[in-house]
Amino acid sequence: MTIIAACVITLKKAPTYRLVKDGTLPIWSAFGMAGTDALGIAAFKSLAEELDALHLGEGDAVIVTGTLCLNTWEGKDGTQHSGLKMIASKAEAIQPPSPKRRASSPRRSTGPAPAADDDFDDYGRPQA
């Protein structure tokens, strides 16, 4: 059974890029979180090259579409581990929104008020 999925991944460490099969097959791999679930990601060929060119790092977000599979491996201590892995067919970096600038409010002066150059008193009545 094949499961096709799309999700937003936050990278938990910098991705790796390498060439395998006598330097002819580029592979980009990363580890991130999709919500509360850990997920490994792998991209091959031109997609791997495109993702590597983005220079993504820890904390960056990526939209990934691909095939989910169960990945199993043996740890250094000999214990068996398993986790989800997505073989990416499409991926795109998400640019964080630019910070909104607050409208600057006029600053209030703490000094004395400027002298009035009019012929009215403090209550708006004409002075004699």
Side-chain angles (χ1 to χ4, degrees):
M1 178 166 80
T2 301
I3 300 172
I4 305 295
C7 57
V8 175
I9 304 295
T10 302
L11 300 177
K12 292 300 174 191
K13 58 183 179 179
T16 60
Y17 175 81
R18 60 193 168 103
L19 297 173
V20 294
K21 290 193 178 181
D22 300 326
T24 60
L25 179 64
I27 296 177
W28 182 89
S29 59
F31 176 77
M33 299 297 288
T36 58
D37 299 319
L39 183 65
I41 309 161
F44 298 94
K45 301 180 181 178
S46 61
L47 182 57
E49 292 172 345
E50 290 171 21
L51 288 169
D52 184 55
L54 295 175
H55 302 290
L56 298 169
E58 181 179 341
D60 288 334
V62 183
I63 297 173
V64 182
T65 303
T67 305
L68 280 178
C69 59
L70 184 61
N71 189 27
T72 58
W73 67 95
E74 186 174 314
K76 292 180 182 178
D77 60 356
T79 59
Q80 291 291 325
H81 300 275
S82 63
L84 286 176
K85 185 173 188 176
M86 180 179 280
I87 307 302
S89 57
K90 292 182 184 180
E92 182 179 325
I94 299 174
Q95 297 298 324
S98 58
K100 292 183 179 179
R101 296 183 126 189
R102 290 186 179 181
S104 59
S105 60
R107 299 199 176 227
R108 295 182 185 209
S109 173
T110 57
D117 292 338
D118 55 28
D119 295 329
F120 296 95
D121 67 8
D122 292 339
Y123 300 103
R125 296 178 293 205
Q127 292 188 1

